[in-house]
Amino acid sequence: MFKWKKLGRVFNPRDVVGLSWMSDYAQAPAVLIFDEFVRVYFSCRPLPDIESKYVSYSAFVDFNRHNLLEIINLCKKPILELGELGTFDEFGTYPVSVIRDVDRILAYYAGWSRCESVHSDVAIGLAISKDGGETFAKLGKGPILSYTIDEPFILSGPKIRRFNDQWYLWYIVGKKWIENNGRPEIVYRIRYGIFKRWN
């Protein structure tokens, strides 16, 4: 049985100087453990534009494995570029789930685009790193998991895991939109899929 001791905040993007794309938020952490450090991936945002609209980026911060309060490295640019005009991840990548696969690291991520009647559409993409998880190349311009007749709305929150050589991807899917105090809100279900290894 674990006993947790709360140590307080260990990283705040607002304290970072010189990275305008990382002005706020450190959302949805995902972790990879290395010999000498623990890498925490997270999603962040620059300040909103003149229309008060946000974009989101994915980044990482490395903590000393022997002193998890000590930051030893912070990425200097997003691990993924925003998608091209009209693509599913044009306005953001959030959140990201990472896993090792032999000599590469896979990142399953939610990419989102803006909408008119509701705030966004979201689908799940895949990117691959061959440099230890510092940068990632997208598998393509489209998602690997998107809307279907049974899952017609947002697909987000990917969590990839491997058990006995079987790959599982948990995610959330929008069941329906409802109006709440004049604003659209999504009702979610949690689902999972069994995946083959990506070559």
Side-chain angles (χ1 to χ4, degrees):
M1 183 141 188
F2 287 103
K3 275 195 169 182
W4 296 94
K5 181 179 179 182
K6 191 172 182 178
L7 300 178
R9 185 165 55 196
V10 295
F11 171 74
N12 186 351
R14 292 180 179 178
D15 298 334
V16 175
V17 177
L19 298 179
S20 60
W21 56 274
M22 191 191 294
S23 293
D24 213 351
Y25 295 90
Q27 297 174 290
V31 173
L32 274 182
I33 298 175
F34 293 80
D35 290 340
E36 296 299 322
F37 61 91
V38 174
R39 175 162 291 163
V40 179
Y41 293 89
F42 61 93
S43 294
C44 57
R45 304 178 194 179
L47 295 174
D49 64 18
I50 58 173
E51 296 178 353
S52 297
K53 293 182 178 179
Y54 285 96
V55 296
S56 62
Y57 294 98
S58 294
F60 68 80
V61 59
D62 294 336
F63 295 92
N64 184 341
R65 186 168 176 178
H66 311 289
N67 175 11
L68 293 175
L69 298 177
E70 179 189 354
I71 296 172
I72 61 174
N73 185 34
L74 177 65
C75 65
K76 302 302 183 285
K77 63 179 185 176
I79 62 168
L80 289 167
E81 297 293 329
L82 296 183
E84 298 174 10
L85 180 68
T87 56
F88 81 105
D89 54 0
E90 179 181 358
F91 294 104
T93 58
Y94 160 78
V96 168
S97 180
V98 292
I99 192 169
R100 285 189 173 88
D101 180 34
V102 191
D103 60 347
R104 60 189 189 166
I105 295 170
L106 308 181
Y108 291 79
Y109 69 97
W112 63 274
S113 57
R114 295 176 183 154
C115 297
E116 286 288 332
S117 59
V118 295
H119 52 74
S120 60
D121 272 337
V122 188
I124 295 172
L126 174 61
I128 298 172
S129 174
K130 296 182 179 178
D131 63 2
E134 293 194 15
T135 61
F136 289 81
K138 296 175 185 177
L139 199 63
K141 294 182 181 180
I144 61 162
L145 194 60
S146 190
Y147 324 113
T148 68
I149 194 166
D150 296 317
E151 297 180 339
F153 304 118
I154 288 175
L155 281 79
S156 187
K159 292 296 177 190
I160 186 71
R161 299 291 185 268
R162 184 174 56 232
F163 302 103
N164 299 323
D165 294 323
Q166 189 75 63
W167 296 70
Y168 296 84
L169 182 69
W170 279 266
Y171 60 100
I172 56 175
V173 60
K175 179 183 175 184
K176 63 179 177 178
W177 287 95
I178 59 173
E179 202 158 307
N180 182 23
N181 293 326
R183 295 183 56 188
E185 298 286 348
I186 191 76
V187 177
Y188 288 112
R189 286 182 174 170
I190 299 173
R191 292 193 171 172
Y192 77 92
I194 300 174
F195 280 69
K196 293 181 179 178
R197 180 180 181 272
W198 288 92
N199 294 322

